[in-house]
Amino acid sequence: MAINIKRPNGTEDVLPKDVHKWLTVEKIVRETAENFGFGEIRIPTFENTDLFMRSVGETTDVVQKEMYTVMAKETKFTLRPEGTAGTIRAMLQNGLLNEALPQRVFYILSCFRHERPQAGRLREFHQFGLEMAGSASPCADAEVISLAKTILDRLELKNIELYINSIGCPECRAKYHEALRAYFSDRKEELCETCLSRLEKNPMRILDCKSPICGDIAKDAPLILDYLCEECSDHFEKLKGYLDTLGIEYKINPKIVRGLDYYTKTVFEFVTTEIGAQGTVCGGGRYDGLIEQLGGQKVPALGFAMGIERLLLTMEKQGCPYLTPKTCDIYFATMGEEALIKAMALAKELREYGYRAEYDVVGRGLKAQMKYANKIGASFTIVLGDNELAEGVAKLKEMESGKETAVKLDEKFCVNFDSLYIDKVMDSIEEAGGELDLGAQFGLDGHVHDEHCNCGCCKEDTDNG
């Protein structure tokens, strides 16, 4: 009996026809982070469980309900539920914080949380995130928020709003916790079991509860902004001024606390209403005590994470552009063993030129091969048989126009094909009205490069001729 094995609930397969969408996001986030001086870091998929207990916080939903933890020879390991803790651990362990500060790193990784699967919320999900360690200035906060905004702009996302808040430092937050305990104690019999346990340990977590009843109770709770100390208040005011200088619009939302315990002072979210309840596409803030909490020196830090699946959902909803999917450049239709051997040799050379070349590996007839070439979107086809091999010449067919060109099957075949391919690209540009967008033609980019482009590629391309 056949075994029908399906992917685990809360996970997704990314098929070849959709990979270009992911590559669009990955390319733009990577290039933007590098524009701002960040370098890529790669960390393990699992860490010692204690790392997340100490950093994320024992009272958070992530630690209490959502982590995937396994016991291996009396050692607890946990699949990473987020990227910050492991990244800070790596920076500490590898001495990055002993080098020039601030240290700027970014990552693209998968995370794991046992949640109820729904649109925009999976059990295995993917994040782009970054961390900046070594600056306590609100200018660094504005820099990180500006980077996030630049990514969203380059992805051509619209109707995304920025919400900011300050949750203060441990000193002013202690007074705020007292006010929250006094407020929630009057209605503690109405709180959910989880929030009841939070009341003493971390009452701010109640503000982030997903229960409609707890949410309704929290509506009139005291606001953290009324309890900020002078230093935290000054930090927040300066941040607002820097965002104004950068022309970044924002709204103050005093109910933002973020879902993890390590945050201090600035917290922020970029939110859309176009993908349902899971509308936060980017969230982050400052965590000045985390490095010290994990055994390092007192080094201020901040960062954010973007959910890639949520970005893609929003892009799909808004019809944002993607990289052009790469398709077959040339397909060799062969008749006979000798023709197949010749096709293999020519395809090998073309691939070294960077072209995507294919030939029949199934044993189809000529008609079936041509049908297959159509299905895979081949730009050119060439038929090889005994006559073509004997004459050393074959007809190269441009599939879209039907135009055929005789080409020699000699050592200059790849050079000649290269020339014909470029001619096709230039013809396409002329037909499009002369807009020079070679990146899109070759499947390398998703936007038009001109004198107003901020991606840095135009200067690079000019310098390289």
Side-chain angles (χ1 to χ4, degrees):
M1 184 171 63
I3 301 175
N4 186 14
I5 300 176
K6 297 182 179 180
R7 66 173 183 265
N9 194 24
T11 64
E12 285 188 345
D13 302 311
V14 182
L15 304 181
K17 68 181 180 65
D18 294 320
V19 165
H20 68 287
K21 299 176 183 178
W22 286 74
L23 293 178
T24 301
V25 174
E26 291 168 11
K27 175 181 171 61
I28 288 176
V29 299
R30 180 175 276 111
E31 289 181 351
T32 306
E34 290 171 349
N35 289 161
F36 278 71
F38 286 73
E40 186 171 3
I41 190 170
R42 302 189 181 190
I43 60 173
T45 304
F46 58 91
E47 300 272 0
N48 286 301
T49 302
D50 286 347
L51 172 67
F52 302 114
M53 298 288 285
R54 295 181 63 179
S55 61
V56 174
E58 293 185 33
T59 62
T60 62
D61 284 347
V62 172
V63 168
Q64 289 185 342
K65 305 175 183 178
E66 299 169 1
M67 295 201 312
Y68 286 95
T69 299
V70 297
M71 183 72 75
K73 294 186 177 179
E74 300 181 355
T75 302
K76 272 190 177 181
F77 294 104
T78 297
L79 294 176
R80 59 186 175 221
E82 52 90 53
T84 296
T87 300
I88 296 300
R89 190 271 314 148
M91 295 172 78
L92 278 168
Q93 187 171 348
N94 294 283
L96 268 64
L97 299 179
N98 298 325
E99 300 177 9
L101 297 179
Q103 281 290 306
R104 306 173 187 230
V105 298
F106 76 88
Y107 46 81
I108 302 172
L109 44 71
S110 55
C111 298
F112 306 85
R113 296 185 190 179
H114 192 275
E115 301 183 284
R116 183 171 63 85
Q118 54 187 292
R121 187 180 288 274
L122 297 170
R123 291 176 176 172
E124 181 189 23
F125 57 99
H126 298 79
Q127 286 186 343
F128 162 75
L130 55 82
E131 322 295 341
M132 180 193 292
S135 174
S137 170
C139 178
D141 303 30
E143 172 89 337
V144 165
I145 291 172
S146 176
L147 196 165
K149 177 70 164 57
T150 302
I151 288 172
L152 298 175
D153 288 345
R154 290 182 178 179
L155 290 171
E156 301 189 29
L157 288 166
K158 301 174 181 64
N159 304 322
I160 307 285
E161 292 189 325
L162 168 63
Y163 295 96
I164 63 172
N165 188 29
S166 174
I167 57 173
C169 63
E171 287 72 25
C172 56
R173 203 154 62 222
K175 297 178 181 178
Y176 181 54
H177 281 182
E178 289 179 13
L180 285 178
R181 288 191 188 99
Y183 173 81
F184 285 115
S185 292
D186 291 340
R187 301 181 64 178
K188 65 180 182 180
E189 66 280 355
E190 300 176 57
L191 298 174
C192 70
E193 186 177 339
T194 301
C195 285
L196 202 56
S197 67
R198 291 168 172 167
L199 188 57
E200 289 303 318
K201 293 181 180 179
N202 190 350
M204 279 181 67
R205 292 265 53 81
I206 301 175
L207 301 176
D208 203 38
C209 183
K210 304 300 185 293
S211 163
I213 297 174
C214 295
D216 186 62
I217 296 171
K219 276 194 308 186
D220 298 318
L223 302 179
I224 180 63
L225 295 178
D226 296 331
Y227 292 83
L228 295 182
C229 65
E230 185 177 350
E231 180 191 346
C232 290
S233 180
D234 181 62
H235 186 102
F236 194 53
E237 290 303 314
K238 285 183 177 178
L239 167 62
K240 292 190 287 183
Y242 291 138
L243 293 177
D244 291 338
T245 297
L246 292 169
I248 298 175
E249 296 182 1
Y250 60 87
K251 293 181 180 179
I252 298 171
N253 182 351
K255 295 295 179 68
I256 295 177
V257 296
R258 301 298 303 142
L260 309 176
D261 278 356
Y262 51 63
Y263 285 108
T264 57
K265 293 183 179 176
T266 302
V267 289
F268 65 90
E269 294 179 349
F270 284 89
V271 180
T272 177
T273 58
E274 298 189 9
I275 57 172
Q278 309 305 325
T280 302
V281 296
C282 173
R286 180 169 283 281
Y287 40 88
D288 289 343
L290 179 58
I291 292 174
E292 188 176 17
Q293 191 176 330
L294 294 180
Q297 299 297 314
K298 190 172 183 179
V299 179
L302 68 158
F304 69 73
M306 289 184 173
I308 295 180
E309 283 88 352
R310 293 188 188 181
L311 287 174
L312 289 168
L313 274 174
T314 311
M315 291 174 70
E316 200 75 35
K317 190 86 172 178
Q318 297 185 359
C320 296
Y322 300 110
L323 294 174
T324 304
K326 185 68 174 172
T327 56
C328 178
D329 294 314
I330 180 170
Y331 181 82
F332 293 90
T334 60
M335 297 180 289
E337 184 68 16
E338 289 187 26
L340 175 60
I341 291 171
K342 183 65 175 180
M344 294 172 70
L346 293 175
K348 180 177 182 295
E349 290 182 41
L350 285 168
R351 289 165 182 165
E352 291 172 358
Y353 268 66
Y355 286 106
R356 180 168 173 172
E358 296 186 43
Y359 50 83
D360 181 53
V361 295
V362 177
R364 297 183 176 98
L366 181 59
K367 185 176 180 180
Q369 289 184 60
M370 296 304 291
K371 187 176 181 181
Y372 175 77
N374 268 318
K375 283 185 177 180
I376 63 173
S379 297
F380 291 89
T381 58
I382 189 167
V383 177
L384 298 181
D386 293 340
N387 292 339
E388 287 77 14
L389 295 180
E391 295 174 9
V393 177
K395 288 183 179 179
L396 181 71
K397 181 179 180 180
E398 185 182 330
M399 295 296 282
E400 186 176 357
S401 66
K403 178 183 176 182
E404 292 186 338
T405 305
V407 291
K408 293 183 178 180
L409 304 175
D410 56 14
E411 67 279 358
K412 292 185 178 181
F413 176 82
C414 291
V415 174
N416 292 332
F417 177 78
D418 194 48
S419 177
L420 289 166
Y421 191 89
I422 292 173
D423 286 345
K424 176 183 181 296
V425 171
M426 300 308 292
D427 288 344
S428 298
I429 292 169
E430 289 180 11
E431 290 173 7
E435 289 286 344
L436 183 58
D437 187 6
L438 290 179
Q441 290 291 337
F442 286 98
L444 298 175
D445 214 331
H447 67 283
V448 176
H449 306 291
D450 55 27
E451 66 273 20
H452 305 297
C453 177
N454 293 319
C455 70
C457 57
C458 297
K459 181 180 184 303
E460 181 180 335
D461 291 346
T462 302
D463 292 345
N464 292 331

